[in-house]
Amino acid sequence: MSKRHAMIVAVGVLASASALAQTETTGQAGPRPATAAGTVPAAANPAHAAAPKAAAPASTAESRSAAALALTHEPTYDEGSAQRIRDAALSYSDLAVRGGWPAIPADARFALSVQGTSDELLRKRLIVSGDLSADKASGAFDQELADAVKRFQARHGLAPTGTMTPRTIAAMNVSVQKRIRQLEASLQRLENMNFGFGQRYVVVNIPAAFAEAVENDVVVRRYRVIVGKTEKPSPTLTAQITSVVLNPTWTVPSSIAKTEISAHMRKDPTYLSRMHMEVLDAHDNPIDPHSVDWSGTHTPNFTVRQHNGTFNALGAVKIDMPNSYSVYMHDTNQRNLFNDDYRFDSHGCSRVDNVRDLAAWLLKDQPKWSRAAIDAEIASGQHLDVAMAKKVPVAWIYLTAWMTKDQTVQFRNDVYNQDEQLLEATAEEAAFFSNAGNHPLTAHMTR
């Protein structure tokens, strides 16, 4: 256990009756102790409000982004995020001291309006985590319990269907200690970030696979995104969006040219022409693909570039945000992938659903570039780089746990397995400096 974790747990013991615990919102947030009457005050209890409704099957970019925005207008990341995560960690630590929540048997069966052997256990589980009112501790699986399940699912990035799926049971059975560690890791990441929030900014939370356009502290756009594969993770970064490129060309990264493009060319020498790609020398002059060594054993001394068009891997829009990782946000020619719940399938860049809408929002201070004008320019097929009149800050973050301003505590899967790596590294660093402070030759390092 790291020193920070131990501190959180210790303070959590003292906070069991504190105002902090009192601010937890039952129904969408973390745990909250019951009042003397055994219930949570109605004003702060989303169990008294309508549960999130399962979105209708989304088949268009517009309907998917509208459904995503309807979930909440609260930003995942703002200037108060770190403090709220501390608050959530304290509350969950208090819950851990009180025993956490019960596990739901993996083979448990639940059906609406049918009494089941695990119904009251499920009720207890949802009451402990604040998704169900404390006065609903008994009874069959009714609509109120289904609504509580929907609240839980929404907080964990699951489709809010109210049905107890295997994924829902698995999420419920993650221990409170693991949830604390997620909060702790997320807090450490934010403490190490230096992001200049503006009146308008963009956030991509990688584990959630969503992008948010924030204006005046409110999410005004939210989009599904496809981020890096587990073996090619998207980086965390802060940058400035400098331009919107319409009908972009795609300069293939040398790593992809060396491996994937070379492999295709070895199997099919017509691959480049079929994919509308050309090979360029160091001066951007075209060279004969047949003169290139496609063995893949050497770093390419050439550039592969794909022409703009409907076949282009970047689609119709690229959002430039200069950074040391050479990643960016863009459209795709495989938009059907946005329907998938698992959206970790890129080489590190972020593909954005309904990206033309995001482009229009980014350029809204430039009246010439309305959504209609953007669509018309794309339809012309001409490559155009539209510089931002005012740069917009952008942050790619890795938060598997966070709490929004409405006190909703959210959790997502640690897709890149980075939480434990971070906490272990922090614990090792703390141990090093602790030992260094006790050694005469290294004591100065801790001062």
Side-chain angles (χ1 to χ4, degrees):
M1 179 181 292
S2 68
K3 289 185 176 181
R4 180 190 300 274
H5 189 191
M7 179 193 71
I8 289 175
V9 173
V11 176
V13 176
L14 300 176
S16 60
S18 67
L20 170 63
Q22 304 273 331
T23 63
E24 283 286 348
T25 305
T26 303
Q28 294 187 25
R32 170 218 275 273
T35 63
T39 60
V40 178
N45 185 1
H48 293 275
K53 294 183 179 179
S59 58
T60 67
E62 289 75 15
S63 62
R64 287 190 295 265
S65 56
L69 183 61
L71 294 174
T72 176
H73 289 271
E74 299 290 347
T76 296
Y77 181 39
D78 58 37
E79 291 181 285
S81 292
Q83 183 57 53
R84 290 195 302 272
I85 292 175
R86 289 190 192 95
D87 294 347
L90 286 166
S91 184
Y92 273 71
S93 296
D94 172 65
L95 177 56
V97 171
R98 292 187 281 118
W101 46 65
I104 305 298
D107 60 352
R109 295 292 179 266
F110 302 92
L112 194 64
S113 302
V114 176
Q115 182 75 51
T117 58
S118 299
D119 290 349
E120 293 194 1
L121 182 66
L122 175 61
R123 287 178 177 276
K124 181 178 180 181
R125 169 63 182 86
L126 293 171
I127 288 171
V128 171
S129 61
D131 296 293
L132 181 66
S133 296
D135 60 349
K136 307 295 182 181
S138 61
F141 194 103
D142 56 13
Q143 190 57 52
E144 282 187 311
L145 185 53
D147 288 344
V149 172
K150 290 180 183 180
R151 279 186 282 273
F152 176 91
Q153 290 168 326
R155 293 196 302 111
H156 292 77
L158 302 170
T161 61
T163 301
M164 288 293 291
T165 64
R167 290 181 63 191
T168 301
I169 294 176
M172 287 187 179
N173 287 342
V174 173
S175 70
V176 67
Q177 289 80 9
K178 173 68 177 292
R179 296 307 189 193
I180 293 169
R181 291 179 70 80
Q182 287 184 259
L183 289 161
E184 185 181 6
S186 295
L187 176 59
Q188 287 195 35
R189 290 191 182 91
L190 292 192
E191 288 179 335
N192 292 325
M193 290 189 70
N194 182 23
F195 183 57
F197 294 96
Q199 180 185 2
R200 303 170 72 218
Y201 63 94
V202 175
V203 171
V204 174
N205 187 15
I206 296 166
F210 275 100
E212 296 175 350
V214 183
E215 188 167 5
N216 296 321
D217 297 322
V218 174
V219 177
V220 294
R221 303 282 194 282
R222 184 177 286 110
Y223 310 97
R224 291 181 167 219
V225 298
I226 297 170
V227 290
K229 302 176 182 179
T230 54
E231 65 272 22
K232 297 177 181 178
S234 294
T236 56
L237 57 84
T238 61
Q240 299 275 332
I241 295 174
T242 57
S243 66
V244 174
V245 184
L246 305 180
N247 297 314
T249 59
W250 179 41
T251 300
V252 181
S254 61
S255 61
I256 297 178
K258 178 180 179 180
T259 55
E260 299 179 30
I261 300 295
S262 294
H264 284 298
M265 285 299 288
R266 289 194 298 271
K267 295 178 181 178
D268 176 12
T270 68
Y271 176 79
L272 286 179
S273 60
R274 289 193 298 101
M275 298 302 293
H276 306 274
M277 292 177 171
E278 61 181 344
V279 183
L280 308 171
D281 64 17
H283 303 287
D284 271 4
N285 297 313
I287 59 178
D288 184 355
H290 296 94
S291 68
V292 171
D293 176 10
W294 297 109
S295 66
T297 57
H298 305 289
T299 300
N301 58 356
F302 56 84
T303 297
V304 176
R305 183 172 298 158
Q306 187 178 41
H307 300 298
N308 60 289
T310 56
F311 44 78
N312 189 279
L314 304 188
V317 178
K318 174 187 175 186
I319 297 172
D320 261 337
M321 39 177 283
N323 60 85
S324 59
Y325 300 96
S326 299
V327 293
Y328 42 84
M329 304 169 72
H330 64 89
D331 189 14
T332 178
N333 59 356
Q334 295 178 295
R335 298 187 182 94
N336 60 298
L337 297 177
F338 290 115
N339 284 313
D340 296 340
D341 289 333
Y342 186 87
R343 297 190 298 280
F344 303 91
D345 195 41
S346 81
H347 287 78
C349 287
S350 174
R351 307 174 201 166
V352 183
D353 196 15
N354 201 15
V355 70
R356 296 189 191 195
D357 184 70
L358 175 58
W361 180 80
L362 289 170
L363 297 172
K364 74 175 203 170
D365 292 336
Q366 297 164 248
K368 175 182 177 180
W369 292 108
S370 65
R371 171 62 187 269
I374 290 171
D375 288 341
E377 188 65 34
I378 290 172
S380 77
Q382 297 299 307
H383 173 93
L384 184 64
D385 193 328
V386 183
M388 299 281 294
K390 184 178 180 180
K391 298 176 183 177
V392 172
V394 56
W396 290 15
I397 59 177
Y398 192 90
L399 298 185
T400 62
W402 70 96
M403 182 165 74
T404 49
K405 286 183 289 187
D406 62 359
Q407 308 299 301
T408 301
V409 181
Q410 299 269 352
F411 294 101
R412 297 295 184 272
N413 290 336
D414 182 12
V415 288
Y416 296 160
N417 194 31
Q418 292 184 357
D419 283 353
E420 290 302 320
Q421 295 175 28
L422 175 64
L423 295 175
E424 288 173 6
T426 303
E428 290 174 2
E429 180 183 32
F432 171 81
F433 282 106
S434 176
N435 293 332
N438 297 325
H439 195 285
L441 296 180
T442 55
H444 67 281
M445 298 176 65
T446 63
R447 293 170 187 165

